[in-house]
Amino acid sequence: MRVQQPNVCSNIFSYVNLRQETTSTRISDDFKSSFSALRLPEAMRENELAFGEYDKIFAAEWLNEDHIICGTKCNNLIVQNITSQSKWEIPLMKDSGHIPIPDKNCGIHSISKNENNTKLATGALNPNSIGFYRLPSLEPICLGEFHTDWMFSSAWINDNTLATGSRDNRLAFWTIPDEIPHSENDEGERGKLYPIVQPVQHFQGVGNKDKVRAMVYNSLSGHLATIASNGYLHLWDVNTCQRTMTTTLPFMKENVCIAHEKKNNLLYAVGSLSHVSLVDTHGGKSVASLCSSEQGAGVRSVSFNDCIVTVGTGYGSLLFYDIRMNRLLQRQDGTQCQLKVGHGWLRRDLVYQQYFWEAECYPNAIYAHSYHPTTMKLLSAGGPLALGLYGNYLAYWD
């Protein structure tokens, strides 16, 4: 018996016409992804979550369809169920005492899962160190000690290899096997039940201002892209552990986030104080840029969803930039597609009463956002942009 092969259409018009003739017609996966990316923002509705009395959420990630994990400025690691809104704290790993603890704790700025969802890396009790956990149980695997200043960013190269970047100007590579044997010193007076590990490779930045602020791994090219606080983008070949390219970013102030377009091994989006720059690493040049209408708020988070760059701003907006049309996404009525986030929770303490009481509310910066890979729910997290304000915001859009 001959099996009829389905007609695969790359546009909606061919699909409608052929569907009238045969039931074996389907839309190509690429087109479904692109069509979803273009139409999804317009239909999204916010579901704000009660996160409790924690300070700003700097990092957030989907654990599964029902649970998210968040890292806060007040240095707490919290899992929240989006359906029941129940939550629980994950104990942070204690250090060995050999790495200096900074006078000021910056909180957790990075949460990273490996591709197969078997390991998670995030900040530790000492913000200079990094804790590795087993998924889905979130049991501690080991603690990484090396950096001498705040650990700001991390990215998995493969299921067992992680890269980290810090304010100490250093980039480190860690290898974390599934099982790590304990040494005699693993259980001391602090009662640790996990090994202490060191990176297998590390690099020093150029000068005293080359602080690693954000990074992303490009599996298509085998390169790790890092952005430094002095306005440079570096590419590292993870196979040779060599820096292969350095380019100056078009906007020098507050480059704090970076994303990679997964279908194009050359294109990156970098968020700065007022712009999102699209950088083609073939020539090391910026090929396009989006100027945020919220001047001074800063671009705090950025991601790719097919042809759409999603932008989280410091003034509580989610913007959507179409890289094919080189413009912000518009609704069907011609207006700009922009999602404004909710009020979140704000602690009205003495600082608020002395300096901020005149305003009824303050916008929440979106320090982190991400799409769930299968449900296409959009997670958005953050808190008040003003340094003196204490509060948080957490929601998902569907």
Side-chain angles (χ1 to χ4, degrees):
M1 182 179 69
R2 181 180 178 183
V3 178
Q4 183 182 12
Q5 295 297 320
N7 296 300
V8 180
C9 302
S10 60
N11 64 76
I12 195 68
F13 306 105
S14 299
Y15 172 76
V16 171
N17 290 332
L18 287 174
R19 187 66 178 169
Q20 298 174 355
E21 302 174 7
T22 175
T23 59
S24 61
T25 303
R26 67 177 179 84
I27 298 179
S28 69
D29 292 338
D30 286 346
F31 178 75
K32 283 193 293 185
S33 176
S34 177
F35 188 79
S36 174
L38 288 167
R39 294 304 179 200
L40 190 65
E42 189 174 355
M44 280 184 163
R45 297 294 179 267
E46 183 185 35
N47 301 275
E48 194 167 342
L49 301 171
F51 189 65
E53 298 183 359
Y54 297 95
D55 202 5
K56 306 171 181 66
I57 302 172
F58 282 154
E61 184 60 78
W62 291 97
L63 283 178
N64 51 49
E65 186 175 342
D66 296 317
H67 296 89
I68 54 179
I69 186 166
C70 302
T72 69
K73 182 181 179 181
C74 53
N75 215 38
N76 286 281
L77 186 64
I78 300 154
V79 174
Q80 174 135 8
N81 185 304
I82 66 172
T83 304
S84 67
Q85 299 211 28
S86 61
K87 56 184 173 293
W88 59 94
E89 292 188 13
I90 304 301
L92 295 177
M93 297 189 199
K94 297 179 181 179
D95 62 290
S96 64
H98 299 145
I99 299 295
I101 299 177
D103 295 332
K104 185 177 180 181
N105 196 320
C106 68
I108 297 174
H109 281 265
S110 175
I111 295 176
S112 301
K113 290 191 309 178
N114 65 2
E115 187 174 359
N116 284 334
N117 297 325
T118 58
K119 296 185 182 71
L120 180 139
T122 187
L125 201 60
N126 184 337
N128 302 349
S129 302
I130 182 165
F132 294 92
Y133 296 83
R134 186 172 288 106
L135 292 177
S137 65
L138 286 170
E139 296 175 279
I141 300 175
C142 61
L143 177 70
E145 290 189 348
F146 170 71
H147 293 297
T148 56
D149 207 337
W150 299 346
M151 195 275 294
F152 264 150
S153 56
S154 62
W156 288 95
I157 307 303
N158 55 46
D159 278 342
N160 293 324
T161 304
L162 182 87
T164 58
S166 165
R167 290 206 323 173
D168 64 5
N169 305 348
R170 292 190 289 184
L171 177 68
F173 291 88
W174 311 76
T175 297
I176 310 299
D178 293 331
E179 297 294 337
I180 299 178
H182 288 261
S183 66
E184 295 180 358
N185 298 323
D186 287 340
E187 296 185 38
E189 60 182 12
R190 293 169 180 258
K192 293 184 302 298
L193 299 175
Y194 39 80
I196 305 296
V197 297
Q198 293 284 317
V200 294
Q201 186 68 272
H202 63 87
F203 301 93
Q204 184 73 31
V206 179
N208 60 0
K209 294 183 179 181
D210 205 9
K211 299 175 175 63
V212 183
R213 191 60 183 82
M215 63 175 61
V216 65
Y217 176 60
N218 181 345
S219 60
L220 295 176
S221 65
H223 285 96
L224 179 73
T226 64
I227 54 176
S229 57
N230 57 358
Y232 285 91
L233 184 148
H234 305 295
L235 284 188
W236 304 80
D237 188 325
V238 299
N239 295 313
T240 63
C241 292
Q242 298 294 320
R243 184 165 54 184
T244 61
M245 191 206 75
T246 295
T247 185
T248 305
L249 292 167
F251 303 98
M252 303 291 288
K253 294 183 178 180
E254 294 191 37
N255 291 285
V256 297
C257 51
I258 184 171
H260 169 242
E261 208 285 286
K262 293 184 178 180
K263 295 181 181 179
N264 184 340
N265 65 357
L266 303 174
L267 189 63
Y268 295 83
V270 178
S272 65
L273 179 62
S274 56
H275 291 79
V276 174
S277 302
L278 297 179
V279 180
D280 186 338
T281 55
H282 177 68
K285 301 294 183 181
S286 174
V287 295
S289 64
L290 158 68
C291 181
S292 172
S293 58
E294 300 173 344
Q295 294 296 314
V299 175
R300 301 297 166 175
S301 55
V302 63
S303 69
F304 276 95
N305 180 21
D306 199 81
C307 59
I308 300 298
V309 179
T310 304
V311 180
T313 75
Y315 284 168
S317 295
L318 285 164
L319 307 175
F320 304 90
Y321 181 73
D322 189 339
I323 62 175
R324 299 180 304 181
M325 301 297 292
N326 194 25
R327 70 181 186 187
L328 286 169
L329 200 63
Q330 294 182 342
R331 301 182 186 275
Q332 292 183 339
D333 61 4
T335 60
Q336 179 179 301
C337 185
Q338 179 179 1
L339 304 179
K340 294 295 290 185
V341 305
H343 296 312
W345 172 80
L346 182 64
R347 187 174 72 183
R348 287 167 169 77
D349 53 14
L350 185 61
V351 174
Y352 170 83
Q353 294 173 13
Q354 288 182 339
Y355 301 103
F356 298 99
W357 62 272
E358 293 181 341
E360 293 184 3
C361 65
Y362 285 85
N364 289 300
I366 305 173
Y367 292 111
H369 72 262
S370 64
Y371 291 89
H372 189 277
T374 57
T375 65
M376 293 309 294
K377 290 184 175 72
L378 173 60
L379 166 67
S380 56
L385 181 65
L387 183 63
L389 290 177
Y390 189 108
N392 65 72
Y393 160 81
L394 180 64
Y396 70 95
W397 304 73
D398 63 359

